[in-house]
Amino acid sequence: MVRRLGVTSHQRQLAARMAESGLLDLVMVRYNAAHRGAERDVFPVTESHGLAVIAYTALRWGALLRPTPDDPPGFSVPAPPPGTASSCSTRRSP
């Protein structure tokens, strides 16, 4: 028995149209600080329909955890607490 139905898509506009169908319980889309288009294209639709959203690549394959040349002087990315493991991979699949 299928209790919930969701979809994942790299195409935000398509994900929004599928969310509007009324047939889904959740939508999974790429969303992170570097890719924020879902805020405009998907989130208003999912919110109005009461759908859950799962974001993938939230840390942009670990890139958002590494320092950048634009960081302020003296800034460092905090280390994770001892005993915790990062769930992100810095390697992308081919």
Side-chain angles (χ1 to χ4, degrees), residues 19-71:
E20 289 175 327
S21 73
L23 301 173
L24 300 176
D25 297 296
L26 70 93
V27 175
M28 187 169 159
V29 293
R30 176 175 66 173
Y31 176 66
N32 59 54
H35 298 101
R36 296 176 54 183
E39 292 175 3
R40 177 190 64 242
D41 300 331
V42 179
F43 295 168
V45 175
T46 56
E47 182 177 23
S48 70
H49 286 77
L51 298 180
V53 176
I54 298 173
Y56 59 85
T57 66
L59 297 175
R60 198 175 178 206
W61 303 282
L64 296 176
L65 297 176
R66 293 188 290 275
T68 72
D70 297 325
D71 291 340

